[in-house]
Amino acid sequence: MNNTPLPKDIPLDLPLPEWLLVILLVVSFLAHIVFVNLMVGGSIATLWAEIKGLRNKEYDILAQEIAATITVNKSLAVVLGVAPLLSINALYTIYFYTANSLTGIMWILIIPMVAIVFLLTYLHKYTWEAMANMKLLHIAINALAVAMFLFIPLIFLVNVNLMLFPEKWMSVRGFLSALALPNVFPRYFHFICASLALTGLFITWYMGRKNYPFEEYFQVFTRAKVKRIGYQLALGASVAQFLFGPIVMATLPAKGFSWSMMSVILSGVAVAVYAVYYMIKTLRGSDADLNKYFRRIVISMSIVVVFMGSGRHVYRANALNPHRELMAQKTAEFEQASKEAREQALNKQAEANEAIAAAEASGDNTAKGKAVFNNYCAACHKETSLLVGPPVTEMKEIYTDKKADLIKWIKSPGKKRPDAPQMPPFPQINDTDMEDLTQYILNIK
Amino acid sequence: MDFPLFHLDWLNDRFLIAMIAIIHVFINHGLAVGFLPYITLLEQQGVVKSGPEDITDLAWDKMVQRMMMVGFVITTTMGAMTGVGIWFSAALISPNSIGSLIRVFYWGWFTEWIVFVSEVVFIMIYFLTWKNSNKSLRAKQRHIRFGWFLSAFSWLTMAIIVAILGFMMDPGNWVEDQSLLSALTNPIYLPQLLFRTPTAMVVAGAFGFLLIMLFTKKDSPIRPTALKTTATWVLLWLPMSILASIYYYNVIPEAMTANMSTAVGTMDFAKYYDLLKYIILIATSSLALLAIWTLWKPKKVNLIIVIIPFVLSLGFLGIFERVREFIRKPYVIGNYMYSNLIREEDYPLLQRDGILKHSTYTSITEITEENKLEAGKDVFMIACSRCHTSQGINSIIFVFEKMYGEGKPLDINSMKAYIPNMHNGRTYMPPYPGNEEELDALAHYIFYLQQSGATLEGAQSAGAHLNPTHSVEHFIEQKTKQQ
């Protein structure tokens, strides 16, 4: 049973201690994913509100207000994504790049797709008034953006999933077959729900801020109403996580599980229960108390995010560390073999030099030149027959007693023969070598 | 060898990186690094030219704000994504080299990232607070000061990334001591930065001309003034850009210049290269002409005479990047890794044992008569496919037929004699990394490609085959035997 590849690693040291790299990876990834969540969740919420806005103008205003935040969040999402990309590239070079390569076309399509979806969000945002009489078309622009926002995370998930399982690499034939690995979709829905939950809390905060001029925008809606919308979204999505979470766990291959990982995840779940309890309590309470537990909810949800992000990393480390250990051993073996081969080649070179010296000592004054010839010329010239260019015997006929012309030609040849390609110039051959080379050519027998 | 290789068999792998990188450089130089000081200058001019009662000339300010909006939208969408795209495409096409560079330059890139995050935040603040800053003179002045600060920041991001680019062309002392500092102080760094700075300003001026024409009406009084400011801006930076490009060429290390002239030595390239020189000459002089014409007859400027130098100046920048890439050959990281992703120091081992023996992704463990073509294909994928396709752009058939005669059946023995020595004649080619049997298989495969017109699928669609001696199972079995 040979099915798990064991390549060698990039033979350079990590740029910083591994534990530090791991911390940077997890922290920067969480910062990135929070803004990705707000961008994806925000665009879905905008679509929902703008459609409702067809009947009730207030929802249209709500949609416009949420839409204004997407373009800011998306800029932060992209720019904050660079650090985790850098860190995962350094820490898991072999695993990440292999997954990229096996899903290559879809992976590179992320670039134009994200650029297009960003342009669509700007178009949507800046044409709100101009397209007021073409509402359906305006909604369609955002619907297209939402569809793309929903698709692109799948590509990322396929990659971060595939990189964990070298034993599956040989069975993958392109993006679609990697998509079919069992735990891609559960993780995907887990991500979408997280996006909606965070967006709900974001709406509650953003429009509930004291210096947000709520009354300038809305005539009918009250702050309380919009805050409740945010809370409901957060609550619904969080409760759905209690369904998707177990499915994710059930479909993850066993190899990365450990008690430490389970304890991190279950602690996260416990804190999530706490947050959900206070969301329910807030929604059942009066409008005056809508802010009462907000800080508590946000802090506990942040803790959930940190626990889940850490659990995710512990799983990845568990899943890959045995393979990484073997890979390090293999890389060391290769380095050793490479070093030995280098020494061997040096010895061979020394022997060849000795042989030339011996030949010279015995009176053969073309041995050195022949070595130069083999290096630079033998690709196209043979001694007595035509290869790409004419044979050496012919050179001797042309250039006997015209050594200077021969050297000039070698350094910068022209084109003489209609049936042969032009020779490349060899200005890099130094004077001593050139002397030996012409000696050989002009003394060929 | 260590990765299943992504391969675009018609477009050519290098083309993918080049396309993304060149779009990124256009946007970065033209709409960020050069554009921000240019826009700030225009914004300031609006305040200066307005009456003592006004905060700024509102029509003028509106025009400048709309120009900035174009810069803002394009840099935060296509600009940002093509920047990430360079990494994505490099990871696909050249995983070993980008993986190595990240390990050396992690802190450089990390610093770059912090500066870059700040830049994006600052650009958003600058653009999104524009409207509110028009409420008082103090706010407006603060906004303009912020613009200058942002310009400096934007330049700093470029200054860091250029160090990385410079390193890849000439690693200086890095091969010896492998430290970040020696990579950053490599000899091409300052000349390249000196070249890019004024050139970014010039390209921003070319964008400026175009945007002014788009955002002002023909008879608008602000158009001639704005055009004249832009013309002065371009004329100020253009001589520096030209001088810096001459200086830049002169300091490119000897070996690289020789290498470049080798490439130029081929007839086809000589023609192409001459053309490039003319485009640079025409682009700079057409911009200079446009600027002088604008100063002389600002009302007689139309869209067409603005667009031509704009397109040419983009060509100017593209050509510089092209040459910069080309003179790196045969290396992808100078004196360390060849463009086939094989380290120079591993050559003796691979040439002794063969590359397939040390490759994780090949099904061939021993070359026989039956599997020769399959073996040749794997050798081609590992040793040639980063730059050559089977039948597409820069195909292996094309380059051999150019040498041996178009349409003529390729001669297997000639190719076998040529390949191991080609790097001596064609100094942009890395040496052949494999052994004799692999050479035979490769030559047969190339002949087969020519005769059959077959193409080569990359790992993104064909998947990968595992070398049974490079599996976890095999490795553990070997270890068991040692016990």
Side-chain angles (χ1 to χ4, degrees):
Chain A
M1 197 190 74
N2 280 323
N3 60 12
T4 310
L6 186 63
K8 63 178 195 295
D9 199 359
I10 302 279
L12 293 170
D13 292 336
L14 284 179
L16 54 165
E18 190 173 327
W19 61 267
L20 185 58
L21 197 53
V22 167
I23 292 175
L24 281 175
L25 173 62
V26 173
V27 171
S28 64
F29 175 75
L30 289 177
H32 162 67
I33 204 70
V34 162
F35 286 98
V36 172
N37 284 329
L38 292 178
M39 162 184 98
V40 173
S43 72
I44 298 170
T46 303
L47 183 63
W48 165 79
E50 198 180 1
I51 290 172
K52 283 198 82 153
L54 289 172
R55 292 183 175 211
N56 180 348
K57 191 81 185 100
E58 289 286 294
Y59 276 103
D60 191 69
I61 296 166
L62 178 64
Q64 191 172 5
E65 284 305 293
I66 303 171
T69 66
I70 300 172
T71 48
V72 174
N73 288 331
K74 73 103 181 90
S75 286
L76 291 170
V78 168
V79 76
L80 290 175
V82 172
L85 181 67
L86 188 64
S87 303
I88 203 162
N89 280 358
L91 194 53
Y92 294 110
T93 318
I94 294 289
Y95 306 93
F96 196 63
Y97 290 169
T98 300
N100 295 170
S101 184
L102 289 171
T103 60
I105 293 291
M106 213 41 105
W107 180 247
I108 198 66
L109 278 178
I110 287 176
I111 301 303
M113 280 198 287
V114 175
I116 289 168
V117 73
F118 285 180
L119 287 168
L120 285 174
T121 58
Y122 278 121
L123 182 69
H124 181 249
K125 175 177 161 182
Y126 288 123
T127 55
W128 212 287
E129 276 81 31
M131 291 183 74
N133 294 325
M134 296 175 267
K135 211 60 198 168
L136 284 179
L137 186 59
H138 190 245
I139 291 173
I141 293 172
N142 191 33
L144 180 59
V146 168
M148 291 176 77
F149 270 136
L150 287 177
F151 177 67
I152 294 162
L154 262 182
I155 311 176
F156 281 100
L157 272 169
V158 161
N159 270 271
V160 295
N161 187 56
L162 183 58
M163 69 175 270
L164 297 180
F165 308 114
E167 61 275 14
K168 309 265 195 218
W169 290 348
M170 291 303 113
S171 66
V172 170
R173 300 282 176 275
F175 172 75
L176 284 180
S177 73
L179 186 63
L181 292 178
N183 45 323
V184 173
F185 279 99
R187 287 182 74 174
Y188 173 74
F189 288 115
H190 202 58
F191 161 81
I192 297 292
C193 286
S195 297
L196 293 172
L198 276 179
T199 302
L201 288 181
F202 177 76
I203 290 172
T204 303
W205 167 76
Y206 182 75
M207 299 194 179
R209 283 175 307 150
K210 283 211 179 69
N211 55 354
Y212 178 77
F214 192 92
E215 290 72 21
E216 275 181 34
Y217 300 120
F218 294 93
Q219 271 87 51
V220 182
F221 278 8
T222 58
R223 276 185 201 256
K225 158 96 180 165
V226 174
K227 278 186 197 167
R228 280 182 185 276
I229 290 176
Y231 273 126
Q232 283 172 37
L233 184 57
L235 177 63
S238 302
V239 170
Q241 294 294 48
F242 288 96
L243 172 68
F244 288 116
I247 298 178
V248 170
M249 298 303 261
T251 52
L252 271 176
K255 74 171 187 173
F257 280 91
S258 67
W259 286 113
S260 60
M261 177 240 178
M262 282 314 284
S263 59
V264 174
I265 295 284
L266 289 177
S267 312
V269 173
V271 183
V273 170
Y274 176 83
V276 163
Y277 170 76
Y278 279 101
M279 281 188 222
I280 295 173
K281 199 165 172 172
T282 304
L283 279 169
R284 295 184 65 174
S286 68
D287 281 358
D289 289 341
L290 280 175
N291 284 340
K292 198 170 170 189
Y293 303 116
F294 185 71
R295 276 184 66 172
R296 191 174 298 200
I297 292 168
V298 168
I299 291 170
S300 53
M301 285 299 265
S302 307
I303 295 172
V304 173
V305 168
V306 171
F307 271 114
M308 294 305 171
S310 308
R312 182 173 171 277
H313 180 79
V314 175
Y315 180 86
R316 179 163 57 204
N318 287 342
L320 287 181
N321 279 352
H323 191 270
R324 290 175 74 210
E325 178 49 40
L326 291 173
M327 190 166 75
Q329 291 173 19
K330 181 165 168 181
T331 310
E333 280 181 14
F334 177 85
E335 289 289 278
Q336 184 58 30
S338 179
K339 192 175 159 219
E340 283 163 18
R342 270 196 300 284
E343 282 157 7
Q344 202 183 0
L346 279 177
N347 292 338
K348 245 181 158 176
Q349 183 62 41
E351 276 169 30
N353 288 345
E354 274 168 30
I356 290 174
E360 281 206 315
S362 67
D364 178 1
N365 60 359
T366 60
K368 250 183 176 167
K370 188 165 178 169
V372 178
F373 180 86
N374 284 340
N375 240 337
Y376 293 105
C377 321
C380 299
H381 301 281
K382 278 183 170 173
E383 285 195 0
T384 52
S385 60
L386 183 88
L387 193 58
V388 177
V392 184
T393 46
E394 218 177 299
M395 298 176 200
K396 186 185 170 188
E397 271 172 40
I398 302 170
Y399 289 105
T400 298
D401 298 330
K402 285 187 273 183
K403 190 163 144 188
D405 287 351
L406 176 58
I407 292 176
K408 204 173 143 204
W409 174 271
I410 294 171
K411 286 198 170 169
S412 111
K415 182 161 169 73
K416 277 195 228 167
R417 294 159 205 259
D419 54 335
Q422 189 183 344
M423 179 173 144
F426 291 85
Q428 72 271 35
I429 300 180
N430 65 35
D431 290 348
T432 338
D433 282 354
M434 190 61 94
E435 196 57 38
D436 295 333
L437 175 62
T438 45
Q439 174 83 6
Y440 164 73
I441 292 173
L442 297 175
N443 289 298
I444 194 91
K445 277 158 201 135
Chain B
M1 298 189 81
D2 316 313
F3 297 95
L5 285 172
F6 174 90
H7 178 60
L8 293 174
D9 198 41
W10 189 83
L11 192 62
N12 193 323
D13 293 333
R14 307 235 146 218
F15 195 83
L16 182 71
I17 300 188
M19 198 169 59
I20 295 174
I22 285 185
I23 294 175
H24 183 71
V25 169
F26 288 163
I27 295 174
N28 171 277
H29 286 19
L31 286 173
V33 175
F35 201 65
L36 291 165
Y38 167 74
I39 286 293
T40 311
L41 183 75
L42 288 180
E43 190 191 5
Q44 190 164 10
Q45 198 183 353
V47 175
V48 172
K49 74 199 273 292
S50 67
E53 306 297 308
D54 305 317
I55 293 165
T56 181
D57 177 338
L58 282 178
W60 175 277
D61 194 69
K62 186 83 208 154
M63 172 197 74
V64 183
Q65 193 194 354
R66 289 175 76 181
M67 289 168 73
M68 182 59 207
M69 183 174 172
V70 172
F72 175 73
V73 167
I74 293 185
T75 48
T76 58
T77 55
M78 287 165 69
M81 287 317 294
T82 46
V84 180
I86 294 174
W87 288 33
F88 273 47
S89 57
L92 286 178
I93 307 299
S94 200
N96 301 68
S97 75
I98 192 75
S100 304
L101 287 174
I102 284 175
R103 291 193 185 202
V104 179
F105 275 107
Y106 185 87
W107 288 116
W109 261 314
F110 200 86
T111 315
E112 158 85 3
W113 171 71
I114 289 170
V115 185
F116 184 45
V117 172
S118 321
E119 189 191 5
V120 168
V121 172
F122 293 154
I123 288 184
M124 285 197 291
I125 293 173
Y126 180 64
F127 178 69
L128 297 173
T129 60
W130 195 300
K131 228 190 223 165
N132 278 339
S133 76
N134 282 353
K135 285 177 183 159
S136 77
L137 186 60
R138 271 187 75 183
K140 189 67 176 169
Q141 279 167 339
R142 202 168 53 222
H143 191 252
I144 290 168
R145 270 201 305 278
F146 192 74
W148 289 120
F149 165 71
L150 170 61
S151 307
F153 227 93
S154 182
W155 181 83
L156 196 61
T157 60
M158 184 178 79
I160 296 171
I161 201 78
V162 166
I164 296 168
L165 290 178
F167 160 69
M168 290 195 287
M169 280 165 69
D170 171 29
N173 299 318
W174 179 76
V175 175
E176 274 76 47
D177 63 14
Q178 305 205 341
S179 83
L180 181 64
L181 192 69
S182 66
L184 282 172
T185 52
N186 82 74
I188 319 187
Y189 176 58
L190 278 177
Q192 213 190 142
L193 191 60
L194 271 179
F195 163 72
R196 284 185 191 272
T197 305
T199 305
M201 305 295 165
V202 169
V203 175
F207 269 104
F209 272 121
L210 188 68
L211 293 174
I212 291 168
M213 296 307 288
L214 292 177
F215 290 147
T216 55
K217 296 234 163 59
K218 200 173 173 221
D219 44 4
S220 147
I222 57 175
R223 181 188 271 191
T225 321
L227 287 174
K228 275 162 83 174
T229 305
T230 311
T232 315
W233 171 270
V234 167
L235 283 178
L236 193 75
W237 291 107
L238 200 57
M240 285 189 244
S241 167
I242 294 169
L243 284 177
S245 60
I246 295 169
Y247 174 54
Y248 176 54
Y249 262 126
N250 286 339
V251 294
I252 287 174
E254 199 86 64
M256 288 189 172
T257 320
N259 181 11
M260 204 158 67
S261 59
T262 311
V264 176
T266 61
M267 297 298 278
D268 294 335
F269 194 82
K271 275 187 213 153
Y272 173 57
Y273 191 72
D274 266 354
L275 188 75
L276 305 192
K277 269 196 283 194
Y278 288 125
I279 289 180
I280 291 179
L281 205 67
I282 293 168
T284 48
S285 47
S286 75
L287 254 174
L289 279 177
L290 170 65
I292 292 164
W293 175 259
T294 306
L295 288 179
W296 186 35
K297 293 212 156 132
K299 290 194 173 156
K300 296 227 162 143
V301 175
N302 61 39
L303 198 58
I304 293 170
I305 66 167
V306 165
I307 282 183
I308 293 168
F310 173 76
V311 173
L312 287 171
S313 68
L314 294 189
F316 173 39
L317 211 50
I319 282 149
F320 241 91
E321 301 304 324
R322 172 79 186 81
V323 172
R324 184 181 61 71
E325 275 298 306
F326 191 84
I327 57 180
R328 241 166 60 186
K329 293 180 186 181
Y331 293 103
V332 62
I333 304 175
N335 298 324
Y336 178 72
M337 187 182 282
Y338 285 113
S339 41
N340 54 22
L341 307 183
I342 295 173
R343 293 192 309 168
E344 191 169 23
E345 61 191 79
D346 293 334
Y347 259 69
L349 176 70
L350 300 178
Q351 286 176 330
R352 187 191 72 193
D353 298 351
I355 44 179
L356 297 183
K357 184 174 177 227
H358 293 282
S359 293
T360 309
Y361 300 103
T362 173
S363 50
I364 311 292
T365 43
E366 207 188 328
I367 300 177
T368 60
E369 275 306 310
E370 287 72 44
N371 68 20
K372 198 185 260 185
L373 283 182
E374 192 64 29
K377 184 171 118 180
D378 287 350
V379 173
F380 181 84
M381 187 59 115
I382 294 164
C384 322
S385 73
R386 299 304 86 199
C387 309
H388 295 287
T389 62
S390 61
Q391 317 281 346
I393 295 175
N394 199 24
S395 83
I396 195 73
I397 307 302
F398 168 77
V399 293
F400 270 118
E401 284 193 356
K402 207 169 60 176
M403 204 161 63
Y404 294 127
E406 236 160 275
K408 277 197 246 168
L410 292 170
D411 181 53
I412 292 177
N413 284 325
S414 301
M415 290 192 286
K416 277 168 69 177
Y418 174 76
I419 292 171
N421 291 301
M422 67 190 165
H423 60 286
N424 289 319
R426 324 261 166 191
T427 45
Y428 47 84
M429 293 292 294
Y432 167 71
N435 66 10
E436 293 254 349
E437 294 86 63
E438 289 171 344
L439 176 63
D440 183 56
L442 177 62
H444 275 86
Y445 176 67
I446 294 172
F447 178 72
Y448 161 79
L449 279 180
Q450 185 202 30
Q451 297 299 311
S452 67
T455 53
L456 177 66
E457 261 186 290
Q460 74 273 23
S461 52
H465 294 286
L466 179 59
N467 184 339
T469 64
H470 285 255
S471 66
V472 167
E473 295 79 2
H474 179 81
F475 191 77
I476 292 173
E477 201 184 304
Q478 294 301 107
K479 276 174 67 169
T480 323
K481 278 184 195 157
Q482 282 166 14
Q483 280 183 355

